Each structure stands twice: as C-alpha cells, then as structure tokens.
Amino acid sequence: MITSFIQKSGRRSSHSLYLLAMVLTYFRRAGLTTEEYRTYFFPSLFLANQFEEDKPFREEIYPWAFGWTWTIQRKELHQLRNLLLIRMGFRAWVDRATCDLIMAQDPAHWAWKRERKVHHSWAIRQFRRKDTEFTIKGPWIRPEPCSLCNRNAH
C-alpha cells in the first residue's frame, strides 16, 4: 500500500522527497522497529505534512491509510501521530540538511530517483485552484490528467 501510494500520486505534493526523508527521520528518532514502520508510515507522513504542506493534500492521506472507512478511523491516525510525537520527544522539526543526509545513505533507491516535473512543483494559491483539487480521492480514484504532461507526451 505504501509503495502504491508513492507511485500513484507522484505529481502531488503530498509526499515530496523531503517528506519521505522526514518520515525516515521520525522512525529513527522514535526508535521504531522495522515491524512498526507500516503502522507509523501514514501517521509520520501526516505529521510531516502538517509542517510542510497545505491541508487539502494532508487529508488525502486518510483514505490511503484506512480505505473506505477513513472517516471513521481518522482519529486513529491522529492518535498514532501523537504517540509518535511522544516517542520522538516532540522533536518533529527536520531541517533540509538532515533530509539530504538521509537520502545520501542510499542515493540509488527508487524513492529518491523520482522527479517531479517543474510545472508540478509550483505553489498554487487555494483561490486559483479548481474545486476538484479539493476532493479527497484516495487509492480508488485516479488523479485528473495534467494538460501539460499530456501535451508533452504527444
């Protein structure tokens, strides 16, 4: 599910390279075992998004973490996020140099090789976005096609 999330939403801002590096930093700071990574991935990504991203994209994490029952279970994600914060000693801020060090440990990993196209990295003010960009989609709905990517593909 985690790999699918990263691959399917490659042009969204919900999981940039630095957010993924922040997640790994959180895992280390909290002293998580590898068995706990799956449980704490989405709460960690949610926390990283709280520091770095817009709310609409943070909410996209809910359906990926819980599927169709996300409206019922989202409190669980918040509880796991809070437990993670406690385990980390409330040290949630991660600087860019730390993220760069995390990525440098295995620079050939596929997650670090993903590149967002320049036209997908611009910040767009909320009042200039289409209403459909604020709809929570989850894993069962494909993102709208990008007119610039489609134009470049032809």
Side-chain angles (χ1 to χ4, degrees):
M1 180 60 80
I2 294 169
T3 304
S4 179
F5 171 76
I6 293 168
Q7 290 173 340
K8 279 191 177 183
S9 53
R11 66 180 167 96
R12 294 191 191 151
S13 62
S14 63
H15 64 273
S16 72
L17 301 178
Y18 287 97
L19 292 179
L20 292 175
M22 287 174 73
V23 167
L24 291 174
T25 303
Y26 292 164
F27 288 175
R28 291 179 182 176
R29 286 180 181 174
L32 298 180
T33 64
T34 53
E35 293 79 25
E36 293 176 296
Y37 286 4
R38 180 179 289 270
T39 302
Y40 282 96
F41 176 78
F42 287 111
S44 298
L45 186 60
F46 187 85
L47 179 61
N49 269 276
Q50 285 185 302
F51 275 85
E52 301 294 334
E53 299 288 344
D54 293 333
K55 183 177 178 175
F57 297 110
R58 184 178 343 125
E59 289 180 349
E60 185 69 21
I61 294 169
Y62 293 134
W64 280 93
F66 298 113
W68 291 105
T69 60
W70 71 270
T71 55
I72 299 166
Q73 293 182 294
R74 68 178 169 198
K75 285 185 180 181
E76 182 182 336
L77 185 125
H78 295 171
Q79 290 171 340
L80 287 170
R81 178 209 52 203
N82 293 344
L83 288 173
L84 179 74
L85 271 167
I86 291 167
R87 287 179 70 170
M88 292 189 310
F90 298 95
R91 297 179 315 140
W93 186 75
V94 181
D95 65 350
R96 185 176 177 141
T98 301
C99 292
D100 289 336
L101 286 171
I102 293 287
M103 291 186 275
Q105 289 178 357
D106 188 2
H109 192 278
W110 65 268
W112 310 135
K113 289 185 171 188
R114 296 177 313 107
E115 289 187 31
R116 185 182 301 162
K117 296 187 180 192
V118 174
H119 60 272
H120 288 296
S121 60
W122 298 333
I124 301 171
R125 300 272 181 232
Q126 286 189 358
F127 70 88
R128 292 190 179 181
R129 295 181 185 206
K130 293 185 262 176
D131 289 340
T132 56
E133 293 183 62
F134 294 103
T135 304
I136 297 174
K137 296 172 182 68
W140 47 85
I141 298 175
R142 300 182 125 232
E144 283 187 38
C146 171
S147 60
L148 292 174
C149 288
N150 291 341
R151 200 175 305 144
N152 294 337
H154 292 98

